[in-house]
Amino acid sequence: MQSKNVSDIIEKYLKQILAETSQIEIRRSEVAELFHVVPSQINYVIKTRFTIQNGYVVESKRGGGGYIRIEKVKLLDNIEVLDSLLAIIGSSISERDGGSIVKTLYHSQLLSSKEARIILAAIDKDSLMINNDTMMANRLRAQILSSVLNHLRFED
């Protein structure tokens, strides 16, 4: 199993379960044992692949009876998710994280393919780069994405 990226395999496994149900509860140690990895590998996958930017809400309870609950959220059904995305964007966001948010909006059917491509072009580093100032590009990207989210929130 080490010849393939274990994180990708674990992500695929969890997403297959989520395709059948709206949320799952897992025990880190059980999933780690299933894939012959350390529990911190499961944490890594969840923290990097199941983020709010990617359309997931994660809740965990530590301790002996602890669990990790992962839920795929529908953005329009949950204004709190849009608020969370706005908080994540803040005053600056990287191109990678901004792209993840746009893709989530597309997969949640809040944006058409054409709209998503236009926004991705608008937040692309080449579109926003001014005098090689990455910090300025990240601030402009955050302003654009925040505006998009606020328009989605208050639309019809």
Side-chain angles (χ1 to χ4, degrees), residues 2-138:
Q2 293 296 338
S3 63
K4 291 184 180 181
N5 184 335
V6 176
S7 294
D8 291 340
I9 294 167
I10 295 167
E11 175 188 19
K12 184 178 178 183
Y13 168 77
L14 294 173
K15 284 184 176 178
Q16 284 175 337
I17 296 171
L18 281 164
E20 299 168 11
T21 181
S22 62
Q23 75 177 24
I24 59 172
E25 277 187 19
I26 61 167
R27 287 194 167 30
R28 211 172 53 127
S29 58
E30 291 174 3
V31 177
E33 190 175 307
L34 179 66
F35 291 99
H36 307 290
V37 297
V38 295
S40 62
Q41 180 74 35
I42 305 307
N43 281 351
Y44 171 78
V45 171
I46 290 169
K47 286 182 191 232
T48 60
R49 314 285 176 97
F50 294 90
T51 62
I52 193 73
Q53 296 100 311
N54 292 324
Y56 297 93
V57 173
V58 177
E59 176 186 334
S60 64
K61 179 181 176 236
R62 298 195 181 269
Y67 61 85
I68 298 174
R69 180 178 298 136
I70 305 169
E71 181 177 3
K72 180 80 172 151
V73 292
K74 292 184 176 125
L75 295 180
L76 273 182
D77 293 344
N78 194 343
I79 294 299
E80 292 172 6
V81 174
L82 290 175
D83 289 339
S84 295
L85 288 171
L86 284 166
I88 287 168
I89 291 169
S91 61
S92 178
I93 191 165
S94 69
E95 182 178 12
R96 179 176 169 254
D97 289 343
S100 291
I101 289 172
V102 173
K103 289 172 188 163
T104 296
L105 295 171
Y106 168 72
H107 291 299
S108 297
Q109 299 177 340
L110 292 175
L111 297 175
S112 69
S113 175
K114 183 177 183 178
E115 292 166 334
R117 287 192 319 270
I118 291 168
I119 295 168
L120 287 172
I123 65 170
D124 180 85
K125 68 178 183 237
D126 294 332
S127 299
L128 300 178
M129 194 58 71
I130 301 169
N131 298 327
N132 275 342
D133 188 344
T134 303
M135 289 176 55
M136 176 61 80
N138 288 347

